[in-house]
Amino acid sequence: EAAALSGSPLTSGLGERTVLSRSSLSEAAAAVLVEQLRSAGLGEGGAESAALWREVSSALAAPWLLRCVVCDLYKILDVDPAATGLLQPLLYFKGFHALTLHRVAHHLWARDDGPADRFAALRLQSAGASLFSVDIHPAATIGPGVMLDHASGVVIGGTAVVGSDVYMLHGVTLGATGKPMHGAKRHPTIADSVTLGAGATVLGDILVGSGVTVGASAVVTRAVPEGSTVVGVNKVLDGSQRPPSEAGEEDDYTWFYDI
C-alpha cells in the first residue's frame, strides 16, 4: 500500500521517512508522530530530538500500546467510509495522531519514574493541543479501538476513563462540573461501544453505559443506562420512542427521533 507514495513528489519523501524505511508498525507510527512534533518545534536540538524518538518509539513498541494502535486503526477502517485502507489514517488522520500521542503521554505519566516523566507527558499534551486541537490530559485512561473522527475540539479530563470500541466525533467534552472534588474522581467513565456525537458534553463523575449513543450537542450530567440513547439535556430515550424506518429495518448508524 505504501509503495504508491513513491509515485508523487509530494508524498515520496514522506513515504520513505515514515513507512518504507521502517521495519514495524510501531516504528512507522512513531516516525509520523515525531515528524509532526519536530515541525512544531519539539525536539529540534540533537539531544532532545534523539530523546523524543527514543521515548515515542519505545512506548509504541510496548505490547499494550501497539495493540491499542492496531485496534484504533481497524476501528477507523470499520466505521469510516472515507478510509480506504490503513495507510490513510496512519499518515493523515489527525484524530488518530492525537490519540496515539496521548497514548505515549499516558505511558510517561503512568511510568512516573520521577517528576520529569510527568512534565514530559504534559509537554506532549501541550504539543498535541497545539498541533491537533485535541486536549487530552495524560492521566486520562483510554482503551483500544477508539476513533476520534475529525477530532477538532475534543477535550478529555484527567480522571476520565474511556473504554474500548468507542466512536467520538469532533467537539466532544468529557469534563468536570466545576464543583470542588478535593482529589476525588471528577470526570466521566465511558463504557465500551459508546458513540459520542459531535459537540456532546458529558460532565462529572458519571457512568455512560455500554452501547449508549449520545446525540450531537447533548449535555449529559447524569448516569446513562447501557444500550440507551441520550439527546438534548439528559433526555434518555428508550426503544419505544424510536420509529421504524421506512423500509421497516433497523439502521445501526443513523438515529431518528422526535425530540
Side-chain angles (χ1 to χ4, degrees):
E1 189 179 353
L5 295 169
S6 301
S8 169
L10 293 178
T11 58
S12 58
L14 174 68
E16 182 63 30
R17 292 190 305 273
T18 58
V19 180
L20 295 173
S21 64
R22 306 300 171 179
S23 61
S24 65
L25 173 61
S26 61
E27 276 197 12
V32 171
L33 275 186
V34 168
E35 178 158 310
Q36 294 194 59
L37 290 168
R38 286 173 178 161
S39 73
L42 199 156
E44 287 183 315
E48 186 175 276
S49 179
L52 180 64
W53 171 256
R54 184 174 61 251
E55 292 289 6
V56 174
S57 60
S58 63
L60 293 179
W64 170 248
L65 265 72
L66 182 57
R67 180 190 175 204
C68 288
V69 167
V70 171
C71 291
D72 294 344
L73 287 170
Y74 274 97
K75 175 67 173 178
I76 293 168
L77 198 59
D78 183 47
V79 302
D80 190 352
T84 57
L86 298 177
L87 188 62
Q88 263 183 293
L90 177 67
L91 290 179
Y92 302 126
F93 282 23
K94 74 172 186 177
F96 172 74
H97 299 158
L99 182 54
T100 305
L101 182 60
H102 164 73
R103 296 194 186 284
V104 175
H106 181 72
H107 170 81
L108 291 173
W109 187 272
R111 186 175 70 184
D112 193 20
D113 284 344
D117 269 351
R118 296 204 164 183
F119 279 119
L122 290 167
R123 188 175 184 194
L124 292 183
Q125 175 198 3
S126 177
S130 298
L131 276 170
F132 310 122
S133 298
V134 174
D135 196 0
I136 308 175
H137 193 282
T141 301
I142 301 179
V146 173
M147 181 182 184
L148 308 183
D149 199 354
H150 301 290
S152 294
V154 167
V155 176
I156 301 177
T159 63
V161 177
V162 178
S164 61
D165 191 31
V166 171
Y167 179 54
M168 188 182 308
L169 283 106
H170 49 285
V172 166
T173 297
L174 305 181
T177 62
K179 298 177 182 177
M181 297 298 291
H182 308 291
K185 188 175 184 300
R186 61 192 184 278
H187 300 105
T189 295
I190 308 298
D192 298 343
S193 304
V194 169
T195 295
L196 296 161
T201 300
V202 186
L203 302 177
D205 180 21
I206 60 172
L207 173 64
V208 176
S210 60
V212 163
T213 296
V214 179
S217 299
V219 177
V220 183
T221 59
R222 302 172 187 164
V224 183
E226 64 179 45
S228 58
T229 296
V230 59
V231 297
V233 180
N234 291 320
K235 182 177 182 181
V236 177
L237 306 177
D238 59 34
S240 64
Q241 292 169 282
R242 177 175 180 169
S245 65
E246 292 182 6
E249 298 177 352
E250 294 293 321
D251 181 343
D252 291 333
Y253 296 99
T254 307
W255 300 274
F256 299 94
Y257 295 101
D258 182 15
I259 301 171

